[in-house]
Amino acid sequence: MESTYQTAAQAAAGQEAPPARAAADSFACPGCGARMAFDPDTQSLLCAQCGRTVPVPAPELEAPEYLYNPETDEYSAPDWNAAGQRTVACTGCGAKMVVDGASLTARCPFCGGHYVVQQDAETRGILPETMMPFRISRPKAEGIFRQWVKKRFWAPGDFRRTVTLPDGLSGVYLPFWTYDVWLDTAYRGEGGRRYTVTRTRTVNGRRQTYTVTEVRWYPISGADSLAFDDRSACASRAVEPALLQKLGAFSTKVLRRYHPAYLAGFGARRYDLGLGEGFAQVRPGMERDMQNKIERDCGYDCYRGMQYSHRFSNVRFKHILLPVWMAAYPYKNKVYRFLINGETGRTAGKSPVSPLKVLLAAGIGLLAAALLFLLWRLL
């Protein structure tokens, strides 16, 4: 869906919306002419040749939100503009990335393969207006990776000595959708109250007393409402959701206005999971939270035959870019994934498991259980 919307701040200032992307030569060092890259430590452009820094003119702001209708899949948001950029596709896994116009090839952070330039660059879609710049620099990220490797207790013995990053870590801005939602839910069913009953029975001619727990059921019905804020879904299919969840939360309320300088030296993944698909991912979680709230508020011990009718309204969304350090490292002809939250430094990754260590641990556990059993018998 095409749109000509501007941000509220731009409209108030009477400005035209700036181009979404800028050419790579926009970041030549004013001192020596060398190409500059964004430095997470100083939050500015840095020239590796002469050391000059240049601030990035992108203020912090509350990310703009736009309306979305889940029923019709319609939205209002500025369009993507890929001026000065190229779309590249990995020859190994096919993942697409948006990089600056000077990039011809790159190593894929998703599978370790190589990107090649794709001529039919995509220019349609929803513009990411805000982003969280990288806060973790490359040297810090490499140190975090080395510490993570040292802590892989279940990995084979030579893993910590031999594993390396062939081309280092890749800094990638991943696209995310976030949703603010108002949910109204009507419900009906039965709520149960547990109670105990004392009964008697005859066993071998002797009368015994015992208690049982039973449930008394009551019809219930009603309606409830709940607001949700910043429920997020990664808009890239190239990263495993389980790994992303382990990275923990990003700050998504106050971000930086998008500026291409933040991408200097980094990659940016273009979304391939649509706005409606992202909403479909977060919707079940919101429905579960509402159902849990209803059950807590009703206060019964148990429920049965519950029926819920959910209605979502005033759905607002943001399209933002969030920083992740990524690596695809090889070990004995197999590639493993490793991620670092580029804002907080939290890690998530996969590593090989030593069958010998697992067997030894299982054997020790069985031996300990046998000794405890023998001790119990002796006592």
Side-chain angles (χ1 to χ4, degrees), residues 263-309:
L263 270 66
F266 296 92
R269 184 80 165 89
R270 192 187 193 281
Y271 71 86
D272 54 18
L273 185 87
L275 183 57
E277 294 172 294
F279 186 76
Q281 282 193 4
V282 301
R283 178 171 181 156
M286 292 187 287
E287 292 177 349
R288 284 193 301 272
D289 287 351
M290 170 60 91
Q291 291 163 197
N292 291 336
K293 179 181 185 297
I294 289 171
E295 292 184 2
R296 287 195 307 270
D297 291 348
C298 288
Y300 288 92
D301 299 321
C302 51
Y303 298 86
R304 71 180 184 184
M306 294 296 292
Q307 298 179 29
Y308 300 95
S309 176

Side-chain angles (χ1 to χ4, degrees), residues 303-366:
Y303 298 86
R304 71 180 184 184
M306 294 296 292
Q307 298 179 29
Y308 300 95
S309 176
H310 301 289
R311 187 173 68 86
F312 293 89
S313 62
N314 196 28
V315 180
R316 295 179 177 273
F317 76 94
K318 301 189 293 284
H319 176 33
I320 59 179
L321 298 177
L322 299 177
V324 177
W325 286 103
M326 310 182 71
Y329 68 91
Y331 178 78
K332 293 188 176 178
N333 301 318
K334 186 175 180 180
V335 175
Y336 296 86
R337 294 279 189 87
F338 175 75
L339 308 178
I340 301 175
N341 184 317
E343 179 192 1
T344 67
R346 188 167 175 175
T347 62
K350 293 186 176 181
S351 59
V353 175
S354 168
L356 179 59
K357 286 186 177 181
V358 172
L359 287 173
L360 285 173
I364 292 171
L366 289 172

Side-chain angles (χ1 to χ4, degrees), residues 63-359:
E65 297 176 343
Y66 299 94
L67 287 171
Y68 172 65
N69 187 336
E71 303 299 325
T72 62
D73 203 35
E74 294 179 322
Y75 59 84
S76 62
D79 265 358
W80 180 282
N81 178 350
Q85 295 222 321
R86 295 173 182 262
T87 298
V88 295
C90 175
T91 56
C93 66
K96 294 180 182 178
M97 289 270 291
V98 176
V99 297
D100 63 64
S103 297
L104 297 178
T105 63
R107 189 169 182 85
C108 177
F110 302 102
C111 73
H114 286 275
Y115 283 114
V116 294
V117 171
Q118 189 170 280
Q119 297 301 321
D120 56 337
E122 300 174 72
T123 59
R124 291 291 183 90
I126 300 174
L127 174 72
E129 289 188 272
T130 51
M131 60 194 301
M132 169 60 68
F134 273 87
R135 306 287 183 184
I136 304 296
S137 65
R138 181 179 297 278
K140 289 179 182 177
E142 291 172 348
I144 290 171
F145 175 76
R146 287 191 293 270
Q147 289 300 314
W148 179 82
V149 169
K150 290 178 181 178
K151 295 177 180 179
R152 299 306 95 196
F153 175 79
W154 295 105
D158 66 340
F159 174 77
R160 284 174 277 188
R161 298 191 305 271
T162 61
V163 68
T164 59
L165 295 173
D167 290 308
L169 290 156
S170 298
V172 180
Y173 288 100
L174 294 179
F176 279 77
W177 306 114
T178 74
Y179 303 87
D180 294 350
V181 177
W182 184 262
L183 174 58
D184 294 294
T185 299
Y187 62 90
R188 64 178 181 177
E190 291 183 295
R193 303 281 190 197
R194 294 189 180 95
Y195 63 96
T196 57
V197 178
T198 301
R199 293 179 178 171
T200 59
R201 62 189 172 191
T202 302
V203 179
N204 296 327
R206 300 185 64 178
R207 195 174 183 83
Q208 294 182 346
T209 300
Y210 66 100
T211 60
V212 295
T213 300
E214 296 186 350
V215 179
R216 185 175 289 115
W217 295 100
Y218 303 89
I220 58 173
S221 62
D224 205 344
S225 300
L226 190 59
F228 296 92
D229 182 57
D230 274 0
R231 289 298 178 103
S232 64
C234 181
S236 172
R237 304 179 195 274
V239 187
E240 297 173 55
L243 280 182
L244 277 176
Q245 289 177 1
K246 292 179 181 178
L247 289 183
F250 292 83
S251 301
T252 56
K253 271 298 177 190
V254 178
L255 301 168
R256 292 282 182 179
R257 182 179 297 284
Y258 174 88
H259 196 286
Y262 290 127
L263 270 66
F266 296 92
R269 184 80 165 89
R270 192 187 193 281
Y271 71 86
D272 54 18
L273 185 87
L275 183 57
E277 294 172 294
F279 186 76
Q281 282 193 4
V282 301
R283 178 171 181 156
M286 292 187 287
E287 292 177 349
R288 284 193 301 272
D289 287 351
M290 170 60 91
Q291 291 163 197
N292 291 336
K293 179 181 185 297
I294 289 171
E295 292 184 2
R296 287 195 307 270
D297 291 348
C298 288
Y300 288 92
D301 299 321
C302 51
Y303 298 86
R304 71 180 184 184
M306 294 296 292
Q307 298 179 29
Y308 300 95
S309 176
H310 301 289
R311 187 173 68 86
F312 293 89
S313 62
N314 196 28
V315 180
R316 295 179 177 273
F317 76 94
K318 301 189 293 284
H319 176 33
I320 59 179
L321 298 177
L322 299 177
V324 177
W325 286 103
M326 310 182 71
Y329 68 91
Y331 178 78
K332 293 188 176 178
N333 301 318
K334 186 175 180 180
V335 175
Y336 296 86
R337 294 279 189 87
F338 175 75
L339 308 178
I340 301 175
N341 184 317
E343 179 192 1
T344 67
R346 188 167 175 175
T347 62
K350 293 186 176 181
S351 59
V353 175
S354 168
L356 179 59
K357 286 186 177 181
V358 172
L359 287 173

